[in-house]
Amino acid sequence: MERVDGKLYAKHYEVRNERVQAAKDMAVLTYQLYCESNLININYNCIEVFQKEEDDWHVIHSTWSVIRPMEMDFSAMKEIV
């Protein structure tokens, strides 16, 4: 991690297609995250599961996956280290 510490950052990001499915004390948030970084532009499908404990909501699970990784061109990735 020391090789990339402080060298990788998001220039711009955008959350799209947010959807919440909620029950009494549980909720699932799905969205797509579009991120432009100084290394590579990458898009994610994100799922986060929330649980309500007393009056606060807490993330109890989070999953991120790259959108269509088989179609991405990683040859344009820049060296940061």
Side-chain angles (χ1 to χ4, degrees):
M1 285 300 286
E2 288 181 19
R3 291 180 50 200
V4 296
D5 189 30
K7 297 178 184 174
L8 178 61
Y9 61 91
K11 294 179 184 177
H12 172 79
Y13 63 89
E14 182 177 344
V15 174
R16 297 183 190 166
N17 304 317
E18 313 91 73
R19 181 177 177 197
V20 175
Q21 297 171 304
K24 183 178 178 181
D25 62 351
M26 298 286 289
V28 177
L29 168 64
T30 59
Y31 59 96
Q32 294 176 324
L33 179 67
Y34 296 82
C35 180
E36 178 185 337
S37 77
N38 63 318
L39 178 61
I40 191 169
N41 299 338
I42 198 158
N43 306 320
Y44 300 95
N45 284 317
C46 305
I47 302 168
E48 296 189 308
V49 180
F50 291 80
Q51 182 174 17
K52 189 174 185 180
E53 296 175 4
E54 297 179 10
D55 291 330
D56 293 325
W57 288 92
H58 303 276
V59 176
I60 61 169
H61 180 77
S62 184
T63 301
W64 292 33
S65 60
V66 177
I67 296 175
R68 299 184 182 267
M70 70 291 294
E71 296 177 7
M72 291 191 64
D73 179 10
F74 288 98
S75 65
M77 192 165 82
K78 301 170 193 156
E79 284 290 327
I80 62 168
V81 291

